[in-house]
Amino acid sequence: MERKGAVAHQMGFGGPARTEAPKVLDVAYPNPLVIDQRARLCLPVEAREGFQPGLDGTVQVVVGQLPGEPCLWLMSRERYAAFVERIGNRAGETASGRRLKTILLSNFARVTVDAQGRISIPEGQLKAAKIEKSIRLVGHGAERIEIWATEVLEAESKTHADAAVALL
């Protein structure tokens, strides 16, 4: 088990114990990345920093999409657990609240990061996000990393440019 932890540390995962929330990626990764023929994405080291190995030494992350969102979300197991709790608190225990929670959470899957830092993205999620080959990563600090089809992000950027400038 120590060997797996050592490998995880060499791959850019883990490291010394942290007292603050792990930082994942807090800006857009500057270069487009490519999904290979097996639907795998090789995460840059900067994007892996906040993902900690579990007790078995493996690094698992959660990838999914909210209904109506044009991108996928990539989260650590810890952030996903907090996300699930937040949805549960907001949805409540009514029948419609439980259904809403089921719909939201059914779009997420736990995946393992392999020794080369790759994740396999489920085919249905790639189709839903219109990802064919070229992608861009946009980080939201410790909360999540968004995985965008390059063309979709460019179109969204053009469509919402005025609103983005208004925020500044």
Side-chain angles (χ1 to χ4, degrees):
M1 190 152 22
E2 281 185 3
R3 171 111 173 89
K4 286 184 182 179
V7 170
H9 180 70
Q10 290 170 355
M11 291 171 30
F13 299 110
R18 300 173 188 229
T19 54
E20 75 280 356
K23 192 171 196 175
V24 181
L25 186 67
D26 58 0
V27 296
Y29 190 72
N31 304 315
L33 301 169
V34 177
I35 300 290
D36 70 14
Q37 303 92 325
R38 293 177 161 174
R40 295 178 303 190
L41 167 63
C42 186
L43 295 171
V45 172
E46 300 94 321
R48 297 184 233 159
E49 278 183 356
F51 300 135
Q52 301 294 317
L55 295 176
D56 64 355
T58 63
V59 178
Q60 289 188 331
V61 294
V62 179
V63 64
Q65 183 179 37
L66 292 180
E69 284 289 312
C71 64
L72 299 177
W73 285 15
L74 178 65
M75 294 182 270
S76 68
R77 293 178 297 190
E78 297 80 13
R79 292 305 302 169
Y80 181 71
F83 175 72
V84 170
E85 184 177 343
R86 190 169 67 228
I87 288 173
N89 291 339
R90 290 183 180 173
E93 285 303 316
T94 65
S96 62
R98 287 190 304 275
R99 239 178 273 115
L100 177 61
K101 183 177 176 183
T102 298
I103 291 167
L104 289 173
L105 300 181
S106 68
N107 293 315
F108 286 84
R110 183 171 287 175
V111 296
T112 300
V113 182
D114 71 13
Q116 287 76 37
R118 298 174 300 199
I119 59 169
S120 294
I121 301 175
E123 186 179 336
Q125 291 179 343
L126 290 173
K127 284 183 182 179
K130 300 178 183 170
I131 295 172
E132 293 177 12
K133 192 157 183 92
S134 179
I135 63 107
R136 295 290 308 267
L137 298 180
V138 179
H140 290 261
E143 185 179 338
R144 70 181 182 274
I145 295 173
E146 293 179 348
I147 303 171
W148 288 81
T150 300
E151 305 78 28
V152 173
L153 181 58
E154 289 170 358
E156 286 283 316
S157 295
K158 289 176 185 172
T159 302
H160 300 289
D162 291 339
V165 170
L167 284 175
L168 302 175

